[in-house]
Amino acid sequence: MTEPEDAAQLDDDELLNEVSSAIPVVRRRISLSTPALMLGMFALPTSWFTPWVAPLALVAVVLAVIALVRRHADRSMAWWGFGLGIAALVGCSVWAVWILGQLGETPVLAVPGLL
């Protein structure tokens, strides 16, 4: 069998195979450091007023850890997202301890001998 001289002699399947192999596939990697930083920036000031933002702070911390594990992420933004998320979780836990104390529950941070 002879090789076709131009694309007009190729059938449709062969033409698609020829075209698809010539185009390189470029995979774009998504950096998770930016969403981690944005969630941390939102969660920290919000945690000063309400403890209900704790899930967002936790998501910020998880995204920052994933971004730090990956090699192509912006590490400084991931560290800032991690720090802000941890600070927001601390703020939310302070609120949760205060709310439980106001409800008459046993204090979470009770030190024996002080009560």
Side-chain angles (χ1 to χ4, degrees), residues 14-25:
E14 291 176 355
L15 185 61
L16 287 175
N17 289 336
E18 291 293 323
V19 172
S20 64
S21 65
I23 299 173
V25 176

Side-chain angles (χ1 to χ4, degrees), residues 51 93-109:
S93 65
V94 168
W95 269 108
V97 167
W98 183 80
I99 289 172
L100 287 176
Q102 296 298 314
L103 291 174
E105 299 288 326
T106 28
V108 178
L109 299 175

Side-chain angles (χ1 to χ4, degrees), residues 31-37 39 57-86 89:
S31 175
L32 296 176
S33 56
T34 302
L37 179 62
L39 282 174
L58 187 63
V59 168
V61 169
V62 169
L63 287 178
V65 167
I66 293 172
L68 286 171
V69 170
R70 291 184 174 182
R71 285 183 255 173
H72 64 276
D74 186 5
R75 297 184 69 78
S76 63
M77 287 175 54
W79 278 113
W80 274 102
F82 181 78
L84 292 174
I86 292 294
L89 283 173

